[in-house]
Amino acid sequence: PQEQEQGTEAPPGPGLRYNSPLVQVSLIGLVCFCCPGMFNALSGLGGGGQFDHTTADNANTALYACFAIFGVLGGAAHNLLGPRLTLLLGSLTYPLYAASFLYYNHRKSQTFPIIAGALLGAGAGLLWAAQGAIMTSYPPPNRRGSYISLFWCLFNLGGVLGGLLPFSFNYARTDAGSVNDATYGAFIGFMLLGAALTFLVLPPARIVRDDGTRATRVTYSSVSTEGWEILKLFTNWRMLLILPAAWASNFFYTYQFNNVNGLLFTLRTKGLNNVFYWGAQMIGSAGIGYFLDFGFASRRKRGLMGVAAVALLGTAIWAGGLANQLRYLDGEFPDKIDFKEGRRYAGPFLLYFSYGLMDAIFQSLIYWIIGALANDSQILSSYCLGLINRMLCLEQTVKHIYIAQINL
């Protein structure tokens, strides 16, 4: 994306203003709290809250295949429609996805969930394109870091609160395999609230910062230009070294959600676990960010120490995961663990919590390295992130196709 300055005016008075970057970034954070945040909580139940995970796997295959396409087209849509309408169209696909699993609770047909997954892939491309433009253009340049932290805190709180929904609505259903209709209804309600909040988002021309400057207007490159710039990154050997880490950064989600949380625990405990899983994400991202930005050494030394720390921690956590997996090599775990079982629950819970912690630390490190390699070039940085996002969508698509073939 490219920025265009919109001019200055007299500094506004003190206090919160509807047209301030703080309020508008908080609004986009709340939209993502209600939509992608709740989607994360729903996915974290394993199989979209269903006993049989096949339907969710097929829906997610369609989702990420479409996301890989609309992740590029979303920028063109934002240029044409502006942030409010782009956010609205994207956010409306989230309640449709949750509604498809409510439908599946009564009609065991995969058609609606798969179509809803494809539409959500398109909608997510629109929503995240608008989010990226807002986070790039609305905050003042010297405060972007704190505004990004605010956004990610609000976003991840959606996963935390979303974990409480299935825990509370299914608390007495200790032997159930799928969540009840009220759980899906609550997810749909929050997602519709997120779509409604998009009407409050202002265009950049109406945003006035505290120093009187107006927000910059972000214009995305054309699809062909963005595609060409991303392809040129394959000539950069440093970016090529990052691609394996980018490919691996989201590959484990289906295993953690379906084969750990979805398989080991009772229905109500799955929701409780997700509260701590997404809470661990907030702790992990804040911790590694402070470690990497703290000026106790040169940037290169901090990066190397960060890589070493993540490698050691990741090895220890996944070694624990291997030890846990050896208990049920056949993929069956009939004696589900409940959070009231004390010592029997403590070990698997700590493992799942550590998975969430490691996810945030690993991904934050990757983005920090990209920022360091970009040498403060906004264009290079944006295209690097575009390449990483395309890789993540491709990885997710391949993963879900592979899982679907295994389940045949």
Side-chain angles (χ1 to χ4, degrees), residues 134-325:
I134 289 172
M135 296 306 300
T136 301
S137 62
Y138 287 19
N142 62 338
R143 295 286 306 279
R144 279 180 183 160
S146 59
Y147 280 75
I148 290 173
S149 298
L150 171 64
F151 167 80
W152 283 106
C153 180
L154 291 171
F155 169 49
N156 280 319
L157 276 175
V160 173
L161 178 61
L164 292 175
L165 297 179
F167 175 71
S168 57
F169 283 116
N170 299 273
Y171 188 84
R173 304 173 70 238
T174 55
D175 297 326
S178 302
V179 299
N180 57 16
D181 292 354
T183 305
Y184 288 121
F187 279 121
I188 293 169
F190 272 103
M191 291 171 175
L192 287 173
L193 174 61
L197 288 173
T198 62
F199 287 101
L200 301 177
V201 175
L202 296 176
R206 296 183 58 186
I207 305 301
V208 180
R209 298 167 179 154
D210 290 342
D211 61 359
T213 60
R214 289 193 174 272
T216 53
R217 181 177 182 271
V218 166
T219 302
Y220 281 91
S221 306
S222 67
V223 175
S224 59
T225 300
E226 181 164 346
W228 174 246
E229 293 295 335
I230 289 176
L231 286 175
K232 285 168 60 177
L233 290 176
F234 283 95
T235 63
N236 186 324
W237 64 270
R238 294 180 177 86
M239 288 296 113
L240 293 179
L241 290 177
I242 293 177
L243 290 185
W247 181 272
S249 63
N250 278 6
F251 202 82
F252 44 76
Y253 276 145
T254 301
Y255 169 74
Q256 292 174 359
F257 294 158
N258 290 2
N259 292 76
V260 180
N261 197 38
L263 194 63
L264 298 184
F265 302 98
T266 61
L267 187 60
R268 64 183 183 181
T269 306
K270 295 177 190 178
L272 180 64
N273 289 346
N274 276 335
V275 173
F276 292 96
Y277 182 92
W278 297 109
Q281 296 250 357
M282 298 168 64
I283 297 172
S285 59
I288 189 68
Y290 178 81
F291 177 82
L292 292 172
D293 287 340
F294 188 70
F296 63 89
S298 67
R299 186 170 67 172
R300 182 176 183 274
K301 288 184 178 180
R302 278 179 278 141
L304 291 174
M305 293 175 66
V307 170
V310 169
L312 290 173
L313 183 62
T315 301
I317 291 173
W318 281 103
L322 175 60
N324 178 70
Q325 182 64 57

Side-chain angles (χ1 to χ4, degrees), residues 5-41:
E5 290 290 345
Q6 298 294 304
T8 60
E9 61 181 52
L16 286 178
R17 294 175 290 106
Y18 177 50
N19 66 338
S20 69
L22 177 61
V23 170
Q24 292 297 308
V25 168
S26 298
L27 274 174
I28 189 64
L30 290 174
V31 170
C32 290
F33 168 96
C34 293
C35 293
M38 291 296 163
F39 168 80
N40 285 343

Side-chain angles (χ1 to χ4, degrees), residues 43-48 50-51 53-54 57 251-265 270 273 318 321 324-333 336-337 348 351-352 355 399-400 402-403 406-407:
S43 299
L45 294 173
Q50 294 291 318
F51 178 76
H53 299 166
T54 305
D57 289 335
F251 202 82
F252 44 76
Y253 276 145
T254 301
Y255 169 74
Q256 292 174 359
F257 294 158
N258 290 2
N259 292 76
V260 180
N261 197 38
L263 194 63
L264 298 184
F265 302 98
K270 295 177 190 178
N273 289 346
W318 281 103
N324 178 70
Q325 182 64 57
L326 291 175
R327 299 191 298 158
Y328 57 105
L329 290 175
D330 58 354
E332 301 291 336
F333 199 85
K336 305 297 185 185
I337 303 171
L351 174 65
Y352 192 64
Y355 279 151
K399 175 183 67 177
H400 286 292
Y402 175 69
I403 292 171
I406 292 176
N407 292 331

Side-chain angles (χ1 to χ4, degrees), residues 105-145:
N105 252 4
H106 301 275
R107 303 284 182 89
K108 300 301 182 182
S109 171
Q110 295 190 22
T111 303
F112 186 12
I114 292 174
I115 292 174
L119 291 174
L120 177 56
L126 297 177
L127 184 143
W128 288 108
Q131 182 270 346
I134 289 172
M135 296 306 300
T136 301
S137 62
Y138 287 19
N142 62 338
R143 295 286 306 279
R144 279 180 183 160

